[in-house]
Amino acid sequence: MARRAPTIPDSELEVLSVIWELKSGTVRELLDELKKRGRTWSYATVATLLDRLERKQFVSSNRDQLAYVYKALIPIDDVRHRRLSSVIEKLFENDPLELMLHLVKTYRMKPDEVEKLKEALEKGVRKRTRSTTAS
């Protein structure tokens, strides 16, 4: 049986988001940025979240200096894919079209955003058509 990929709870995702933004940071630097964003976590809480992320191999730490420096090992697009796949599976019966329709119906889009969406859809259709005709 295939081992299931580790999940990223919202609290760990917040810490990871700060690392992506800053590129790397110590617990203190990450805590300071989280406080700017309204989080009132303690130093120990951030250190615990980083420890969990490191055990899951989502971040690594450079322990050459007194204060460990953490950096992300997983790109943001991988996390987006994991989280969206879970939402599609759990809320949209494994149908990504239903998610897209829900988003289009629920959120107002500016005309330039609609054009970007159309271009992406056309590009995706062309790409899929090429890959199926090559088979």
Side-chain angles (χ1 to χ4, degrees), residues 2-134:
R3 196 170 144 201
R4 197 168 163 199
T7 58
I8 303 176
D10 290 347
S11 55
E12 291 174 12
L13 185 58
E14 278 189 72
V15 173
L16 198 49
S17 293
V18 172
I19 295 173
W20 286 321
E21 186 178 308
L22 299 179
K23 308 294 185 226
S24 66
T26 63
V27 175
R28 176 66 56 206
E29 291 166 340
L30 300 173
L31 176 62
D32 289 346
E33 184 60 31
L34 287 160
K35 284 185 177 181
K36 288 178 191 173
R37 297 178 183 196
R39 273 293 178 193
T40 56
W41 289 336
S42 69
Y43 183 97
T45 298
V46 175
T48 298
L49 293 169
L50 286 163
D51 184 55
R52 290 180 189 162
L53 286 165
E54 191 167 26
R55 277 188 271 131
K56 294 176 184 179
Q57 298 181 340
F58 293 147
V59 302
S60 67
S61 61
N62 179 340
R63 298 165 187 241
D64 291 342
Q65 299 174 6
L66 186 58
Y68 297 173
V69 177
Y70 293 87
K71 70 176 190 172
L73 295 175
I74 186 170
I76 191 169
D77 284 342
D78 287 6
V79 175
R80 286 176 175 160
H81 178 75
R82 286 179 189 210
R83 297 284 291 246
L84 272 177
S85 293
S86 177
V87 167
I88 292 167
E89 179 185 326
K90 293 174 182 172
L91 296 178
F92 295 96
E93 298 175 4
N94 251 351
D95 189 348
L97 176 60
E98 287 300 317
L99 169 65
M100 291 187 289
L101 291 172
H102 174 76
L103 291 171
V104 170
K105 291 175 189 174
T106 306
Y107 297 95
R108 295 184 94 153
M109 297 176 72
K110 298 174 190 165
D112 64 315
E113 294 170 333
V114 172
E115 284 306 312
K116 283 182 182 179
L117 179 59
K118 285 180 184 177
E119 289 172 18
L121 289 169
E122 289 171 5
K123 188 176 181 181
V125 168
R126 284 194 305 270
K127 183 177 179 182
R128 187 167 188 162
T129 303
R130 278 197 306 262
S131 66
T132 56
T133 56

